[in-house]
Amino acid sequence: QVQLVESGGGLVQPGGSLRLSCAASGSIFSILRMAWYRQAPGKQRESVAIISSGGSTDYADSVKGRFTISRDNAKNTVYLQMNSLKPEDTAVYYCNVIARDAGAATWGDYWGQGAQVTVSS
């Protein structure tokens, strides 16, 4: 089974930066794409950033120019560098990975435990 462990959340002042990490472990055969989602109080979960197996990226308009998604294929880890943070960025951030377990015949949709990011003065 594939497991995702997130780290890097915390409290930061507006204009500050944080970097989230999400490490995938287990008998991973292949990763199709990795992504970050977030859910703020009173809002539905939304896609923040996506990176494909080929390295293509996509961002929500609200974070474009401020956030950067990247990955380390050797470590099966995806990162979200968040700069110029705003109070509106406050949310629980979830790592999402579509991957195939080495012992499985189908793709699976895996989620991290969530990382709280709070932007406040």
Side-chain angles (χ1 to χ4, degrees), residues 14-45:
S17 298
L18 286 173
R19 190 178 77 155
L20 302 180
S21 299
C22 175
S25 62
S27 55
I28 300 171
F29 177 76
S30 182
I31 294 177
L32 179 61
R33 74 112 175 88
M34 310 179 89
W36 290 96
Y37 289 74
R38 69 184 182 187
Q39 187 163 18
K43 296 183 178 180
Q44 297 187 35
R45 185 178 62 181

Side-chain angles (χ1 to χ4, degrees), residues 27 29 99-108 110:
S27 55
F29 177 76
R100 200 174 94 188
D101 189 291
T106 61
W107 295 87
Y110 302 93

Side-chain angles (χ1 to χ4, degrees), residues 23-98:
S25 62
S27 55
I28 300 171
F29 177 76
S30 182
I31 294 177
L32 179 61
R33 74 112 175 88
M34 310 179 89
W36 290 96
Y37 289 74
R38 69 184 182 187
Q39 187 163 18
K43 296 183 178 180
Q44 297 187 35
R45 185 178 62 181
E46 64 174 342
S47 175
V48 176
I50 301 169
I51 185 165
S52 72
S53 61
S56 298
T57 58
D58 188 47
Y59 299 91
D61 289 342
S62 59
V63 307
K64 207 165 191 176
R66 300 186 297 119
F67 290 11
T68 303
I69 187 171
S70 61
R71 69 187 187 192
D72 185 333
N73 291 336
K75 297 181 181 295
N76 286 328
T77 299
V78 63
Y79 306 93
L80 185 67
Q81 179 66 46
M82 303 182 290
N83 298 326
S84 301
L85 283 162
K86 305 175 180 179
E88 305 92 89
D89 296 317
T90 296
V92 178
Y93 286 71
Y94 297 94
C95 175
N96 173 242
V97 175
I98 297 177

